[in-house]
């Protein structure tokens, strides 16, 4: 019947049986509604763990609906909301564990104090024992007097009372010894739920405690909190390793770019140096050619008579060297002395 109702709720909605007026004020509940318990959606609600125990937290103020939990588990937003719900549950579990650990610390202090103080016999039993001893003493005195007086029957009757008082005294002494022994038993604390236990107790009692609702509830709380913290630390470590890996990749990329750029710059410098060297050699060769052309041009001009005629082709005038002038003067003298010039 419940399965059919759940199927109808899923197909037709929870408001299928409401009237039109009721539907106006009805709000279709979804798993992401603020009134829905997030810890219940994620794992468990702590309020459900300790019902009818000394650690009862009372009813949860929000909605626990298994159908909404199934809808949440099928939702595409499951991963993003799961982190939110788990964080909320971890916060509640952290508070529970902190309160429980304080209780355990106080329990340890109490056990340490009790171990330092000797265990006294309960006062009421001590008084009863003293009263029985006083009665027996008085009865024995009366029995002695009756025996001296020859009243045997009365003495035997009092003796029976003495026997009864001795039996009561023995029972009281045994009771006192048992209580003292129980108080002197070594107590210990359960580190999971904080309950007091008798050390080396019977297996049945130990098993009953371990399977109890309070022990199991606090075990679930502690296990989830340890798992949540471990997952968080693992995520932080993975994030740190990822950052270091990216930083290492960037460093290697910079080194690669630097090495590549250095080789290119060295190659450019080498090529530039070679070009400069070639340019200098070309320049020197050109200078050498120009000088050789100048010498050849001047030699050809000299041979062509420009310099022999005493005329500088660049200046358009005559240039005489000292030797040429002396030769000209000698020729002029020889002409003046010639016979033909003087009519001989």
């Amino acid at each position: 019947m419940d399965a059919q109702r759940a199927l109808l709720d899923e197909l037709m909605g929870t408001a299928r049986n409401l009237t039109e007026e009721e539907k106006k004020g009805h709000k279709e509940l979804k798993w992401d509604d603020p009134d829905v318990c997030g810890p219940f959606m994620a794992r468990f609600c702590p309020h459900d763990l300790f019902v009818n125990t000394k650690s009862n937290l009372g009813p949860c103020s929000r909605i626990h609906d298994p159908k909404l939990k199934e809808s949440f588990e099928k939702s595409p937003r499951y991963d993003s909301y799961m982190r939110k719900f788990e964080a909320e549950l971890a916060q509640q579990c952290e508070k529970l564990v902190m309160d429980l650990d304080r209780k355990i610390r106080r329990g340890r202090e109490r056990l340490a104090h009790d171990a330092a103080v000797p265990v006294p016999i309960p006062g009421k039993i001590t008084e009863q024992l003293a009263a029985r001893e006083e009665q027996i003493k008085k009865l024995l005195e009366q029995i002695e007097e009756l025996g001296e007086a020859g009243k045997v029957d009365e003495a035997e009757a009092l003796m029976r009372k003495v026997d009864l008082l001795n039996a009561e005294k023995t029972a009281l002494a045994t009771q006192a010894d048992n209580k003292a022994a129980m108080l002197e038993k070594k107590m210990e604390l359960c580190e999971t739920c904080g309950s007091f236990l008798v050390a080396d107790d019977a297996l049945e009692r130990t098993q009953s405690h371990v399977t109890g609702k309070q022990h199991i509830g606090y075990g679930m709380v502690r296990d989830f909190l340890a798992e949540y913290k471990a997952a968080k630390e693992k995520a932080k470590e993975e994030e740190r390793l990822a950052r270091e890996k990216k930083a290492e990749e960037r460093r290697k990329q910079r080194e690669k770019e630097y090495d590549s750029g250095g080789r290119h710059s060295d190659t450019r410098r080498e090529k530039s140096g070679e070009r400069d060297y070639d340019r200098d050699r070309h320049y020197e060769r050109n200078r050498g050619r120009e000088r050789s052309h100048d010498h050849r041009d001047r030699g050809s001009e000299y041979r062509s008579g420009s310099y022999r005629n005493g005329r500088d082709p660049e200046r358009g005038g005559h240039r005489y060297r000292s030797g040429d002038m002396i030769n000209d003067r000698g020729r002029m003298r020889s002409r003046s002395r010639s016979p033909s010039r003087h009519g001989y």
Side-chain angles (χ1 to χ4, degrees):
M1 190 66 181
D2 292 336
Q4 294 176 355
R5 186 181 296 108
L7 180 61
L8 290 174
D9 290 342
E10 184 177 357
L11 295 175
M12 303 176 62
T14 57
R16 65 183 185 283
N17 295 327
L18 300 180
T19 62
E20 293 298 328
E21 293 295 329
E22 291 174 340
K23 287 182 180 179
K24 292 180 180 179
H26 177 75
K27 178 182 177 182
E28 190 71 26
L29 195 64
K30 296 183 180 180
W31 60 263
D32 58 349
D33 193 283
D35 294 332
V36 176
C37 181
F40 178 79
M41 293 287 107
R43 298 287 187 89
F44 56 84
C45 178
H47 291 266
D48 295 339
L49 300 179
F50 307 107
V51 178
N52 298 326
T53 67
K54 293 180 179 179
S55 302
N56 189 8
L57 301 177
C60 181
S61 60
R62 294 192 288 176
I63 298 172
H64 295 182
D65 191 341
K67 293 189 293 296
L68 294 178
K69 190 171 185 176
E70 292 177 2
S71 176
F72 165 64
E73 292 172 351
K74 297 176 182 178
S75 172
R77 296 180 293 164
Y78 175 82
D79 292 334
S80 59
Y81 270 81
M82 175 58 80
R83 289 191 291 269
K84 175 184 176 182
F85 293 155
E86 285 184 341
E88 183 181 353
L89 176 57
Q91 185 177 3
Q92 295 182 14
C93 291
E94 185 74 29
K95 184 179 183 303
L96 286 173
V97 170
M98 289 176 61
D99 294 341
L100 180 61
D101 288 343
R102 281 195 296 268
K103 177 183 175 182
I104 292 175
R105 285 195 297 271
R106 290 194 299 268
R108 290 199 192 102
E109 294 173 358
R110 175 184 167 185
L111 289 177
H113 178 269
D114 292 344
V117 178
V119 180
I121 298 176
K124 187 176 181 180
I125 296 178
T126 304
E127 292 176 358
Q128 291 176 353
L129 285 172
R132 296 297 187 276
E133 289 179 355
E134 185 66 25
Q135 290 176 0
I136 291 171
K137 183 179 180 181
K138 289 180 179 180
L139 288 173
L140 289 174
E141 291 177 354
Q142 291 177 9
I143 289 171
E144 187 177 355
E145 292 176 357
L146 290 172
E148 292 177 354
K151 299 179 180 180
V152 178
D153 296 335
E154 294 178 1
E156 290 178 354
L158 292 178
M159 184 56 69
R160 287 191 292 269
K161 289 183 179 180
V162 171
D163 294 337
L164 291 174
L165 290 174
N166 282 326
E168 292 178 1
K169 179 183 174 181
T170 302
L172 289 172
T174 303
Q175 183 179 357
D177 291 340
N178 290 337
K179 287 189 176 182
M182 290 180 63
L183 292 173
E184 288 177 355
K185 281 185 179 179
K186 186 178 179 181
M187 303 294 293
E188 62 183 13
L189 275 171
C190 177
E191 296 295 332
T192 300
C193 64
S195 300
F196 284 97
L197 302 173
V198 177
D200 301 327
D201 202 356
L203 181 60
E204 293 79 5
R205 293 182 181 179
T206 303
Q207 190 67 24
S208 176
H209 168 76
V210 172
T211 57
K213 186 179 292 185
Q214 181 167 302
H215 185 89
I216 292 177
Y218 278 115
M220 291 177 62
V221 169
R222 290 184 183 276
D223 290 344
F224 167 76
L225 196 58
E227 179 185 344
Y228 178 78
K229 289 181 178 180
K232 207 168 183 181
E233 289 297 325
K234 183 179 179 181
K236 287 182 180 179
E237 182 66 16
E238 290 177 351
E239 184 178 355
R240 183 185 66 81
L241 293 175
R243 288 198 303 268
E244 291 180 355
K245 184 178 180 181
K246 288 183 179 179
E248 182 67 17
E249 290 176 354
R250 288 196 297 268
R251 184 184 66 80
K252 290 181 179 180
Q253 182 66 24
R254 286 196 299 268
E255 290 179 355
K256 184 177 180 182
E257 292 175 356
Y258 176 78
D259 294 341
S260 177
R263 286 195 296 270
H264 289 323
S265 61
D266 292 342
T267 304
R268 287 195 296 271
R269 283 195 297 270
E270 291 174 0
K271 290 181 178 180
S272 177
E274 291 175 359
R275 286 196 298 270
D276 293 340
Y277 178 73
D278 294 341
R279 186 170 58 249
D280 293 340
R281 290 186 61 189
H282 180 70
Y283 177 72
E284 292 296 333
R285 285 197 297 269
N286 290 338
R287 289 289 301 274
R289 294 192 190 98
E290 290 176 358
R291 291 194 190 100
S292 62
H293 286 311
D294 290 342
H295 288 302
R296 285 197 296 270
D297 292 343
R298 288 172 186 167
S300 63
E301 290 175 357
Y302 179 77
R303 287 191 297 272
S304 64
S306 298
Y307 284 91
R308 287 201 303 273
N309 294 331
R311 183 180 297 276
D312 189 350
E314 294 179 358
R315 297 180 181 178
H318 294 281
R319 290 182 60 185
Y320 292 98
R321 291 181 297 180
S322 59
D324 294 339
M325 293 177 68
I326 293 171
N327 293 332
D328 290 344
R329 288 188 187 125
R331 285 195 293 272
M332 290 176 66
R333 287 194 192 100
S334 64
R335 286 174 189 164
S336 63
R337 292 174 184 175
S338 173
S340 61
R341 289 183 66 87
H342 293 282
Y344 295 112

